[in-house]
């Protein structure tokens, strides 16, 4: 088989992996700052997918144009959720946080089942079947746009945390919560803002994912688990690691589906996780504790 075939499959997997990585960025941001594992992460992502589906059906918006609206709604939801409920559990044992977030995930999942039913819903865009030729590569236009959107959001997120005063304050909370409180930072408010940002980012990832797969509530646990795998592979709390992990998982899934069987793609994701844990337990870009 010509080498160009493998090159195209690899490029397709990497573009999908960029969206995976963006979803994992939301999880990594929340864990890296608030130190709470968001077990409702996949449910929020699927909620973002359905938000894009609704905006496409009612207003005819392209999912890429719908992404900022979805992000704003999920940001508000995440902010209220953290400020009103999760902040009370930040200092409590991990098992109590787990039960709380698992309960929230169950509520969101069942709400989506009641509102939209179990059937798949998709979004058709004018470029659904278009391809873009770049040298030897022949890429799906939808996958290329989704990957480009993920890169734009990732760069904006990195710039926010690195250069803005609020971003620096959030990083200070992540590095030393006690010191940040001593110098007068509003820790609870910054935690709520961080959770809102994480929820908004995963909402954008969900909107972009509607270009690639059909929306259905049953995807939520799968995306939660996938985001955990990506964050662990990349390194807990590392934003570049989450993006790198997403690309690696997307690449491994694409190659496994092409060379072996599409049903084995999850097997290879777990295989990558096991190899990384054996060779570099802190993740590819994680720091040793």
């Amino acid at each position: 088989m010509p080498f160009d075939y493998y090159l195209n499959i690899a490029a397709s997997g990497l573009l999908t992996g960029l969206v995976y990585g963006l979803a994992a960025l939301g999880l990594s941001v929340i864990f890296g700052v608030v130190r709470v594992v968001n077990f409702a992460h996949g449910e929020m992502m699927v909620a973002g997918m359905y938000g894009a589906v609704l905006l496409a059906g009612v207003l005819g918006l392209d999912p890429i144009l719908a992404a900022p609206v979805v992000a704003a709604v999920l940001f508000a939801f995440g902010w209220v959720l953290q400020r009103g409920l999760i902040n009370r559990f930040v200092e409590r044992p991990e098992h109590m946080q787990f039960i709380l977030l698992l309960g929230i995930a169950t509520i969101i999942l069942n709400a989506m089942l009641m509102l939209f039913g179990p059937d798949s819903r998709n979004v058709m865009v004018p470029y659904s079947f278009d391809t873009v030729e770049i040298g030897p590569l022949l890429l799906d236009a939808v996958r290329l746009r989704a990957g480009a959107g993920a890169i734009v959001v990732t760069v904006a997120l990195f710039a926010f945390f690195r250069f803005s005063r609020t971003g620096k304050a959030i990083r200070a909370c992540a590095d030393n919560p006690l010191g940040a409180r001593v110098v007068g930072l509003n820790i609870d408010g910054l935690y709520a803002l961080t959770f809102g940002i994480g929820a908004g980012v995963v909402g954008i990832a969900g909107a972009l994912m509607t270009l690639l797969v059909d929306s259905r509530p049953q995807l939520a646990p799968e995306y939660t688990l996938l985001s955990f795998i990506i964050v662990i592979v990349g390194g807990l709390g590392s934003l570049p690691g989450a993006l790198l992990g997403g690309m690696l998982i997307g690449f491994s899934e694409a190659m496994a589906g092409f060379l072996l069987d599409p049903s084995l793609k999850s097997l290879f994701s777990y295989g990558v996780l096991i190899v990384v844990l054996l060779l570099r337990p802190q993740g590819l870009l994680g720091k040793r504790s």
Side-chain angles (χ1 to χ4, degrees):
M1 189 172 292
F3 178 72
D4 288 357
Y5 283 18
Y6 297 98
L7 196 60
N8 277 278
I9 295 298
S12 178
L14 290 173
L15 289 173
T16 302
L18 286 171
V19 184
Y20 286 167
L22 181 63
L25 275 177
L27 183 66
S28 187
V29 164
I30 293 171
F31 176 81
V33 178
V34 187
R35 300 297 175 184
V36 169
V37 179
N38 182 17
F39 288 97
H41 194 73
E43 283 73 13
M44 290 182 179
M45 184 170 177
V46 176
M49 295 175 72
Y50 274 113
V53 169
L54 282 177
L55 289 171
V58 176
L59 301 177
L61 280 182
D62 185 294
I64 296 176
L65 298 178
V69 180
V70 172
V73 173
L74 278 173
F75 172 86
F77 173 75
W79 190 92
V80 170
L81 188 65
Q82 174 71 26
R83 189 75 174 180
L85 185 60
I86 298 176
N87 263 342
R88 304 179 186 182
F89 286 77
V90 169
E91 303 296 334
R92 297 190 184 185
E94 286 80 1
H95 70 275
M96 297 184 69
Q97 298 174 4
F98 168 75
I99 294 172
L100 172 67
L101 270 301
L102 192 62
I104 293 171
T106 303
I107 292 171
I108 296 174
L109 179 60
N110 283 278
M112 289 189 294
L113 281 169
M114 288 190 296
L115 291 172
F116 305 107
D119 297 332
S120 300
R121 301 195 182 193
N122 63 357
V123 175
M124 294 298 298
V125 291
Y127 49 88
S128 290
F129 302 103
D130 291 352
T131 56
V132 178
E133 187 174 358
I134 305 176
L137 300 177
L138 195 62
L139 303 174
D140 296 335
V142 289
R143 213 170 294 273
L144 193 61
R145 295 192 185 201
I151 291 175
V152 170
V153 176
T154 300
V155 171
L157 191 64
F158 285 168
F160 169 76
F161 281 116
R162 185 168 183 83
F163 300 113
S164 71
R165 293 186 63 183
T166 304
K168 292 176 181 178
I170 291 174
R171 287 165 53 201
C173 292
D175 292 338
N176 191 337
L178 179 59
R181 194 180 295 273
V182 168
V183 300
L185 293 179
N186 181 1
I187 301 296
D188 292 344
L190 289 172
Y191 279 176
L193 178 62
T194 302
F195 202 97
I197 291 173
V201 167
V202 77
I204 294 175
L208 296 177
M209 189 59 73
T210 58
L211 294 171
L212 309 180
V213 299
D214 293 346
S215 305
R216 61 184 191 277
Q218 295 84 354
L219 287 174
E222 178 182 334
Y223 284 148
T224 297
L225 187 57
L226 184 64
S227 294
F228 277 121
I229 291 173
I230 292 170
V231 168
I232 293 170
V233 168
L236 289 172
S238 171
L239 300 189
L243 195 63
L244 177 62
M247 294 175 68
L248 183 59
I249 294 299
F251 172 79
S252 67
E253 287 188 353
M255 296 307 295
F258 178 67
L259 296 175
L260 299 173
D261 189 284
S263 62
L264 295 178
K265 64 178 186 178
S266 295
L267 174 65
F268 274 72
S269 299
Y270 291 118
V272 170
L273 173 63
I274 292 170
V275 170
V276 170
L277 287 177
L278 286 173
L279 300 180
R280 190 173 172 82
Q282 72 271 29
L284 295 176
L285 299 182
K287 298 179 181 178
R288 291 186 181 274
S289 57

